[in-house]
């Protein structure tokens, strides 16, 4: 889940990932995601701005219709059990600003589906 190259496997809307700088993942890595969202194809480049292996990953983009920051955190609950949280935070621009509440709901709904998909993938490997 913390490797952006795996994103197309569990994010339904992400079509491809391209490393622009620094693979493997390190502070300052630049990763371009191509996605389909609200019937539009969008490409945006995230920069890794915080990385604590197995605990926290924060990446930011100022590109696309909704510049945002995405944060993943992992917390061990017990041996063999980890809680992962995903938080997207940002300010929509352009049309996305006008449609803010709809965009927010769409992102939340997509995240819920993606996290369910990731959970299924990870649990099938145990």
């Amino acid at each position: 889940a913390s490797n952006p190259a795996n994103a197309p496997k569990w994010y339904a809307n992400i079509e491809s990932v391209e490393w622009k700088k620094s693979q493997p993942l390190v502070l300052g890595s630049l990763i371009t995601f191509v996605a389909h969202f609200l019937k539009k194809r969008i490409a945006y480049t995230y920069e890794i701005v915080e990385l604590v292996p197995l605990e926290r990953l924060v990446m930011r983009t100022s590109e696309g219709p909704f510049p945002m920051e995405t944060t993943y955190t992992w917390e061990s609950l017990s041996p063999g059990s980890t809680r992962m949280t995903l938080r997207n935070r940002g300010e929509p621009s352009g049309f996305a600003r006008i449609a803010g509440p709809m965009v927010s709901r769409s992102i939340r709904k997509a995240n819920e589906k993606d996290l369910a998909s990731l959970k299924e993938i990870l649990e099938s490997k145990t």
Side-chain angles (χ1 to χ4, degrees), residues 67-103:
M68 70 177 144
E69 177 179 277
T70 299
T71 302
Y72 300 88
T73 59
W74 295 272
E75 174 188 3
S76 178
L77 300 177
S78 64
S81 180
T82 300
R83 173 182 294 134
M84 183 184 109
T85 58
L86 167 61
R87 179 175 183 220
N88 288 310
R89 182 174 61 145
E91 286 295 321
S93 61
F95 169 75
R97 179 176 295 187
I98 295 167
M102 181 190 72
V103 170

Side-chain angles (χ1 to χ4, degrees), residues 1-50:
S2 64
N3 182 347
N6 290 327
K9 295 176 185 173
W10 62 279
Y11 273 107
N13 295 329
I14 294 181
E15 178 181 298
S16 65
V17 175
E18 180 183 339
W19 291 81
K20 297 292 187 184
K21 177 179 159 186
S22 300
Q23 188 176 2
L25 195 64
V26 295
L27 282 178
S29 289
L30 298 173
I31 304 127
T32 298
F33 293 84
V34 176
H36 285 89
F37 188 70
L38 298 175
K39 300 183 180 182
K40 288 191 161 220
R41 183 180 187 274
I42 55 174
Y44 49 94
T45 301
Y46 270 112
E47 178 180 4
I48 303 304
V49 296
E50 188 178 342

Side-chain angles (χ1 to χ4, degrees), residues 37 66 88 102-112:
F37 188 70
F66 27 87
N88 288 310
M102 181 190 72
V103 170
S104 180
R105 278 190 304 276
S106 295
I107 290 172
R108 187 176 305 112
K109 194 173 188 178
N111 280 343
E112 288 171 359

